């Protein structure tokens, strides 16, 4: 059987397919028997016979009949014979179900635990394990959800051989060689899985380089500028940086642009190790041998397959030459544990400048082990070997569809990625488990006769870890349909890595999220998720290689009265929907203790021991995710709020003004130029403020139309007069179309200069931020470059874009 072509294969085919891939990856290597890239073999997929599905339908019909009959004689008690009363589950006396109330009672912690154990039973890196895709498709189908596997063929790399050695170049004596391995823990069997990946970066360059060592703190663009100001060059050197601050791909790119030969990225205990608390297995934080894998793609240029920028990597799609791929770095890089980093940091001591002289944040947490942080360059040399194999590889997205009953052409998309560098209990298997339980809960509603008004799509993405590949390719293939019909995209990546609820979203979705979190109880408390979210929101965010969560406090005026909802930059599968297609998006999680991120210690044992022992945080996430989906897909009037967008836009402009003022002061050449240029620049910002006011006026018109609809007709348009019914439907459709299409009007077909794949005028990932979001990216980058002529042109275009969006909202 041809495993690449027959996507409906049995699970047994997966093993031969994997072995063929591995044999190809190992060619040209010295280790033909290496098991490093082997993926774990999972159990056979679920197979549900037609007869069982028929029986399920009969059972559902009997259950409904029981409900109708029983509702007339059930006594006024909570339970009967140990079963919850149907009316307490959301069944009114007339027999119609309330999908919200029924749904809240369905998610099961036991089933969530089973799903988590399955998905995180071993390493399942993209392109090697297709068994989980088949399992996911079959599980969706077992719930009555039409499902299929959609295959793409991106260019991916896999590890072959790695080495980091410190040596004396004069004598050739090796003084230290990094283990590049994580300790096996007897307490956690997954840490000794022979299929675990070695130290590795997705989309890293193949290479064998040698040079002196230089320490560059977090490796941000500002850190490299600080080294230059101190007279320290990284040209021809191996650069050592620590995780945190900015996305790892930015660190490698910034080093490459300054002539470095290679980059080593280590996890410092100050950021997520023993400085934060007890390390695994005694606590949730990163132990000394832990290695953080991940992609070093230039994700802020464009995500997805490097060889098919802007279009899907189908089997017959044309490919560009890898040398022309603008989102790939060209120098090798590897991740290190902080145990392996210590000898390298010691080799720097006394050379160059003391790191504390460069900046207050340059000293990490290894001082407790006698480490002094110095910049170098070192006298000793470092050899960095990163041998990788690139290959056009099959990946599998799983797409499930619940067709809408009335407005089926419009769709709400729910997504989580399935692939992981390791077992990935938190990232992403906590979200994958939640997606399966969400599918089951929606299936149970359908068995009771419920159908959403609009279509619901459930997506299990592949190859997210490499650079949002699976979701990006799907969006690029479906772009026209999405721009016409996409209502919203709701993303859950890491569902649970801590106990604090966090969210990033398009402003139109904020009110809905606030409403839903007020309906879901926070585990083991008398509070709702919203209550706890609001109470904890004044705390500081962790310094992590993760998306920015909110505005700077100085411009976040709403933070005192509502929980912060952050901007959507990049770093997860919402990116293509929001920044490329203009589909309003939401991403959410319970966050807080990512001390095993992308390591062999991200296991279900750690997750249940220190973060969510009874799986009730997972259950809460399913409830939030499901309620958001049901309301978006089933409410007659969609709860997307343009007024909220207009309010946030005012804050965007204020943030831009602050950014421009800082950049202007550093680029103006003299007082006269400063005065005249400032006048011209801030005049353009005045045009932005005027456009924002027009958007606010138009957004309130949509709000008034909603009030009018409810007062005159009612949301359901239930009236006998055919003429009044038609008028109601027309007005309701207009309100809904304006609300969910607003985001599309902030999409510029030309894109951001130099990063044309990103097309959102108001917010996109920053040029030197990676995951972090930047408001008015084209304007912000022109200001950073001191190109005030381009700034004024982009300001004029942004104001026109906002005005056009405002006029669109007035169309009825």
């Amino acid at each position: 059987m041809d495993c690449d072509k027959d996507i409906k294969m049995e699970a047994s085919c997966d093993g031969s397919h994997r072995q063929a891939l591995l044999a190809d990856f190992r060619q040209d290597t010295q280790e033909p028997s290496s098991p490093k890239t082997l993926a774990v073999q999972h159990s056979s997929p679920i197979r549900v016979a037609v007869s069982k599905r028929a029986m399920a339908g009969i059972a559902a019909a009997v259950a409904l009949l029981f409900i109708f009959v029983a509702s007339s004689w059930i006594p006024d008690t909570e339970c009967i014979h140990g079963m919850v009363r149907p009316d307490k589950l959301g069944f009114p006396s007339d027999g119609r179900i309330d999908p919200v109330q029924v749904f809240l009672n369905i998610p099961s912690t036991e089933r969530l635990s089973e799903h988590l154990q399955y998905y995180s039973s071993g390493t399942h890196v993209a392109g090697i394990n297709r068994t989980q895709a088949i399992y996911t498709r079959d599980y969706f189908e077992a719930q009555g959800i039409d499902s299929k596997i959609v295959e793409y063929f991106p260019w991916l790399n896999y590890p072959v051989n790695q080495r980091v050695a410190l040596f004396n170049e004069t004598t050739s004596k090796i003084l230290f060689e990094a283990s590049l391995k994580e300790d096996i823990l007897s307490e956690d069997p997954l840490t000794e899985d022979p299929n675990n990946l070695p130290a590795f970066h997705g989309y890293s360059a193949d290479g064998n380089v040698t040079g002196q060592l230089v320490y560059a703190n977090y490796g941000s663009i500002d850190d490299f500028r600080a080294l230059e100001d101190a007279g320290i060059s990284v040209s021809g050197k191996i650069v050592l940086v620590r995780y945190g601050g900015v996305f790892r791909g930015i660190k490698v790119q910034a080093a490459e642009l300054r002539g470095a030969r290679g980059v080593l990225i280590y996890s410092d205990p100050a950021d997520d190790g023993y400085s934060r608390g007890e390390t695994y297995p005694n606590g949730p934080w990163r132990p000394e041998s832990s290695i953080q894998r991940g992609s070093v793609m230039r994700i802020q240029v464009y995500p997805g397959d490097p060889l098919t920028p802007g279009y899907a990597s189908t089997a017959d799609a044309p490919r560009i030459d890898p040398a022309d791929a603008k989102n790939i770095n060209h120098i090798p890089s590897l991740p290190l544990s902080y145990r392996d980093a210590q000898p390298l940091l010691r080799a720097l001591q006394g050379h160059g400048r003391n790191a504390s002289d460069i900046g207050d944040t340059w000293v990490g947490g290894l001082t407790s082990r006698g480490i002094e942080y110095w910049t170098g360059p070192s006298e000793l040399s470092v050899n960095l070997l990163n041998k990788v194999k690139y290959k056009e590889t099959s990946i599998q997205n799983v797409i499930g569809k619940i067709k809408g009953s009335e407005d089926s052409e419009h769709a709400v998309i729910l997504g989580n990625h399935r692939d992981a560098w390791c077992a990935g209990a938190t990232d992403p298997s906590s979200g994958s488990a939640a997606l399966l339980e969400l599918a089951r809960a929606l299936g149970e509603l359908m068995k009771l006769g419920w159908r959403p008004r609009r279509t619901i799509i459930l997506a299990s993405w592949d190859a997210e870890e490499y650079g949002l590949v699976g979701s990006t390719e799907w969006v690029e293939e479906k772009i026209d349909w999405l721009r016409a019909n996409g209502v919203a995209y709701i993303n859950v990546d890491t569902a649970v890595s801590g106990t604090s609820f966090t969210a990033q979203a398009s402003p139109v979705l904020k009110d809905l999220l606030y409403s839903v979190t007020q309906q879901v109880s926070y585990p083991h408390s008398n509070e709702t998720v919203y209550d706890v979210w609001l109470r904890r929101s004044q705390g500081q965010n962790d310094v992590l290689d993760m998306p920015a969560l909110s505005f700077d406090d100085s411009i976040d005026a709403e933070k005192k009265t509502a929980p912060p909802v952050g901007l959507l930059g990049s770093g997860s599968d919402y990116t293509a929907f929001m920044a490329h297609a203009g589909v309003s998006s939401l991403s959410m999680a319970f966050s807080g203790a990512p001390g095993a991120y992308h390591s062999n210690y991200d296991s279900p044992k750690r997750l249940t021991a220190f973060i969510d022992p009874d799986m009730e945080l997972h259950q809460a996430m399913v409830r939030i995710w499901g309620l958001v989906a049901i309301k978006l897909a089933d409410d007659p009037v969609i709860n997307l709020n343009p007024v909220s967008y207009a309010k946030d836009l005012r804050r965007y402009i204020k943030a831009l003004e602050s950014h421009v003022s800082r950049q202007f002061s550093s680029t103006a050449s003299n007082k006269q130029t400063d005065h005249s240029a400032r006048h011209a620049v801030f005049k353009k910002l005045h045009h932005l403020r005027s456009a924002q006011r027009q958007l606010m006026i138009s957004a309130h018109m949509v709000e008034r139309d909603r009030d009018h609809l409810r007062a005159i007709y009612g949301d359901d348009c239930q009236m006998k007069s055919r003429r009044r019914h038609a008028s109601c439907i027309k007005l309701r459709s207009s309100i809904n179309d304006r609300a969910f299409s607003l985001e599309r009007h902030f999409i510029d077909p030309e894109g951001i200069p130099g990063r044309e794949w990103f097309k959102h005028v108001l917010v996109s990932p920053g040029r030197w931020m990676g995951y972090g979001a930047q408001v008015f990216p084209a304007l912000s980058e022109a200001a950073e470059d001191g190109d005030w002529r381009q700034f004024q042109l982009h300001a004029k275009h942004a104001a026109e874009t906002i005005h056009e969006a405002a006029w669109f909202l007035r169309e009825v």
Side-chain angles (χ1 to χ4, degrees):
M1 182 183 297
D2 187 339
C3 295
D4 285 329
K5 295 180 179 178
D6 186 2
I7 208 67
K8 287 281 188 178
M9 77 199 85
E10 296 295 328
S12 60
C13 180
D14 188 67
S16 60
H17 173 62
R18 181 186 300 111
Q19 293 302 323
L21 279 172
L22 289 172
D24 197 16
F25 296 151
R26 290 182 186 135
Q27 69 181 15
D28 303 325
T29 75
Q30 305 257 331
E31 302 173 271
S33 61
S34 170
K36 290 180 178 178
T37 60
L38 196 63
V40 69
Q41 176 69 39
H42 294 286
S43 57
S44 297
I46 294 176
R47 293 291 180 191
V48 180
V50 174
S51 60
K52 289 186 178 180
R53 298 182 72 174
M55 290 298 292
I58 295 170
V62 172
L64 279 173
L65 179 62
F66 169 78
I67 290 164
F68 298 149
V69 174
S71 61
S72 63
W73 57 264
I74 291 177
D76 190 21
T77 59
E78 291 289 327
C79 299
I80 299 176
H81 302 306
M83 297 177 63
V84 180
R85 280 179 46 177
D87 58 324
K88 297 299 180 182
L89 282 172
F91 297 95
S93 58
D94 61 5
R96 292 182 295 107
I97 74 167
D98 177 348
V100 169
Q101 291 304 315
V102 175
F103 177 86
L104 285 171
N105 286 279
I106 295 174
S108 160
T109 56
E110 291 80 7
R111 289 180 183 268
L112 279 161
S113 181
E114 292 169 5
H115 299 327
L116 177 67
Q117 293 295 331
Y118 169 73
Y119 277 117
S120 56
S121 58
T123 296
H124 45 288
V125 69
I128 294 181
N129 194 321
R130 146 189 339 239
T131 308
Q132 288 192 348
I134 298 169
Y135 179 96
T136 304
R137 179 202 63 197
D138 291 351
Y139 192 91
F140 284 176
E141 290 182 342
Q143 314 314 311
I145 300 171
D146 292 335
S147 303
K148 62 181 178 179
I149 290 175
V150 179
E151 196 168 26
Y152 297 103
F153 301 87
W155 193 59
L156 304 180
N157 69 329
Y158 296 87
V160 176
N161 193 18
Q162 309 79 34
R163 184 195 191 206
V164 174
L166 183 69
F167 69 101
N168 186 313
E169 200 158 4
T170 302
T171 64
S172 298
K173 182 180 180 180
I174 296 175
L175 304 175
F176 166 73
E177 186 155 357
S179 70
L180 300 178
K181 294 180 180 178
E182 292 171 284
D183 291 343
I184 293 173
L185 302 177
S186 59
E187 299 91 337
D188 193 335
L190 279 177
T191 62
E192 58 182 334
D193 188 333
N195 302 320
N196 288 336
L197 285 178
F200 169 62
H201 280 152
Y203 287 121
S204 56
D206 184 87
N208 187 354
V209 295
T210 297
Q212 294 170 289
L213 190 67
V214 172
Y215 170 66
N217 195 28
Y218 287 114
S220 70
I221 192 73
D222 289 336
D223 287 335
F224 281 104
R225 286 171 181 160
L227 280 179
E228 290 176 353
D229 292 343
I232 297 165
S233 172
V234 301
S235 180
K237 308 297 193 298
I238 306 298
V239 178
L240 177 66
V241 298
R242 52 181 173 144
Y243 273 112
V246 295
F247 172 60
R248 67 186 77 80
I250 294 288
K251 303 171 192 285
V252 179
Q253 181 183 7
E256 179 183 332
L257 291 176
R258 282 158 178 76
R261 292 180 178 174
V263 178
L264 299 169
I265 311 178
Y266 81 99
S267 299
D268 195 284
D271 300 312
D272 65 352
Y274 61 74
S275 297
R276 306 296 301 275
E278 289 287 338
T279 60
Y280 192 63
N282 300 317
W285 294 100
R286 192 180 296 275
E288 66 175 4
S289 71
S290 179
I291 298 169
Q292 183 191 139
R293 298 154 187 83
S295 174
V296 290
M297 174 186 280
R298 296 180 180 179
I299 201 170
Q300 79 284 5
V301 177
Y302 62 89
D305 177 26
L307 306 189
T308 59
Y311 56 96
S313 57
T314 55
D316 57 353
R319 266 74 174 171
I320 65 173
D321 190 288
D324 297 326
K326 295 181 179 179
N327 65 345
I328 296 294
N329 288 308
H330 306 97
I331 60 175
S333 65
L334 284 174
L336 291 177
S337 67
Y338 57 85
R339 182 169 65 193
D340 279 344
Q342 289 177 63
L344 303 181
L345 288 166
R346 287 196 175 96
L348 290 166
Q349 289 181 191
H351 301 287
R353 299 278 299 274
N354 191 295
S356 61
D357 295 336
I358 306 298
D360 294 337
T361 64
W362 278 60
V363 177
L366 288 167
T367 52
S368 62
R369 298 194 176 181
I371 298 293
E372 295 179 12
Y373 288 76
W374 288 72
T375 62
S378 63
E379 289 184 351
L380 299 174
S381 295
V382 171
N383 174 240
L384 190 170
L385 168 66
N386 181 49
K387 185 169 181 57
V388 293
K389 175 69 175 180
Y390 272 92
K391 181 180 175 63
E392 191 177 296
T393 307
S394 168
I395 63 169
Q396 300 85 38
N397 294 334
V398 181
I399 306 297
K401 181 178 179 181
I402 302 172
K403 188 174 181 179
S405 60
E406 297 178 14
D407 189 12
S408 61
E409 69 272 21
H410 292 125
V412 177
I413 304 109
L414 318 175
N416 157 267
H417 76 91
R418 191 181 61 255
D419 65 297
W421 296 118
C422 307
T426 59
D427 179 17
S429 297
S430 61
S432 301
L435 182 64
L436 283 199
E437 188 60 0
L438 175 58
R440 188 184 72 84
L442 294 174
E444 292 298 311
L445 286 179
M446 290 193 292
K447 290 175 185 176
L448 296 172
W450 174 82
R451 286 294 184 280
R453 294 173 189 268
R454 303 169 197 94
T455 295
I456 294 176
I457 290 175
L458 291 84
S460 174
W461 309 117
D462 201 359
E464 186 270 356
E465 294 292 3
Y466 275 89
L468 323 179
V469 178
S471 59
T472 298
E473 302 312 304
W474 190 81
V475 169
E476 289 174 342
E477 185 173 33
K478 304 291 184 182
I479 187 69
D480 292 336
W481 176 81
L482 280 168
R483 286 178 176 165
N485 299 302
V487 173
Y489 173 70
I490 313 302
N491 188 68
V492 173
D493 185 327
T494 298
V496 179
S497 67
T499 61
S500 296
F501 185 78
T502 58
Q504 303 86 43
S506 164
V508 294
L509 282 155
K510 288 169 63 174
D511 287 352
L512 174 59
L513 182 61
Y514 289 151
S515 172
V516 164
T517 51
Q518 290 174 31
Q519 294 178 261
V520 177
S521 297
Y522 188 87
H524 309 296
S525 77
N526 294 321
E527 297 178 288
T528 65
V529 171
Y530 179 90
D531 295 332
V532 178
W533 180 20
L534 178 61
R535 177 164 49 79
R536 293 181 178 179
S537 64
Q538 299 303 315
Q540 294 183 350
N541 295 325
D542 291 333
V543 180
L544 297 169
D545 191 12
M546 297 293 283
L549 297 182
S550 66
F551 289 105
D552 184 87
D553 288 350
S554 63
I555 61 170
D556 193 0
E558 293 183 350
K559 194 169 183 180
K560 295 180 181 178
T561 58
V565 175
L567 302 174
L568 286 168
S570 187
S572 194
D573 291 304
Y574 56 78
T575 303
F577 288 93
M578 180 75 174
H580 189 71
V583 176
S584 298
S585 299
L586 160 66
S587 189
M588 53 190 174
F590 285 100
S591 305
Y597 181 59
H598 289 184
S599 79
N600 288 344
Y601 305 116
D602 186 9
S603 67
K605 183 175 179 65
R606 173 188 168 276
L607 177 57
T608 55
F610 299 109
I611 299 171
D612 194 17
D614 53 15
M615 300 297 288
E616 291 197 8
L617 287 168
H618 286 75
Q619 184 183 55
M621 179 55 70
V622 176
R623 287 170 172 161
I624 296 168
W625 202 359
L627 290 196
V628 169
I630 289 169
K631 288 179 176 295
L632 286 172
D634 206 35
D635 284 356
V637 178
I638 303 174
N639 188 2
L640 297 174
N641 189 357
V643 172
S644 182
Y645 218 134
K647 288 180 179 178
D648 273 13
L649 181 56
R650 185 169 54 209
R651 298 163 62 222
Y652 291 7
I653 296 170
K654 187 175 180 181
L656 177 65
E657 289 174 339
S658 299
H659 184 70
V660 168
S661 294
R662 289 192 299 270
Q663 299 301 322
F664 202 94
S665 298
S666 65
T667 57
S669 57
N670 58 60
K671 290 184 178 180
Q672 183 62 32
T673 302
D674 181 82
H675 177 76
S676 60
R678 276 181 182 271
H679 177 74
V681 167
F682 281 92
K683 184 178 180 180
K684 293 300 181 184
L685 293 181
H686 172 73
H687 294 329
L688 279 179
R689 289 190 289 271
S690 175
Q692 182 272 331
R693 288 192 292 270
Q694 290 301 314
L695 186 68
M696 180 66 80
I697 292 169
S698 298
H700 278 298
M701 290 179 66
V702 177
E703 202 169 60
R704 287 194 292 272
D705 286 345
R706 282 177 176 161
D707 292 341
H708 176 76
L709 174 76
R710 286 164 178 156
I712 303 301
Y713 301 109
D715 284 3
D716 281 321
C717 295
Q718 297 294 325
M719 61 277 298
K720 294 181 180 179
S721 167
R722 185 174 299 176
R723 182 180 62 82
R724 283 174 55 80
H725 178 76
S727 297
C728 179
I729 293 295
K730 180 180 178 181
L731 177 58
R732 189 176 72 185
S733 296
S734 171
I735 293 167
N736 287 340
D737 288 349
R738 283 179 283 164
F740 73 71
S741 297
L742 174 61
E743 202 81 57
R744 249 83 91 201
H745 286 265
F746 300 127
I747 293 295
D748 179 0
E750 299 300 317
I752 302 170
R755 304 189 290 135
E756 287 76 12
W757 187 93
F758 288 97
K759 301 185 181 300
H760 206 293
V761 171
L762 303 186
V763 59
S764 285
R767 176 172 55 177
W768 290 108
M769 300 166 72
Y771 287 173
Q774 176 69 62
V775 297
F776 294 103
L779 282 78
S780 298
E781 290 163 22
E784 291 165 7
D785 295 338
D787 191 339
W788 299 110
R789 181 178 177 277
Q790 284 298 314
F791 179 90
Q792 293 180 63
L793 291 175
H794 291 314
K796 180 177 182 293
H797 177 64
E800 291 172 348
T801 299
I802 297 166
H803 273 298
E804 289 172 1
W807 281 111
F808 165 74
L809 289 182
R810 299 185 183 199
E811 298 174 3
V812 181

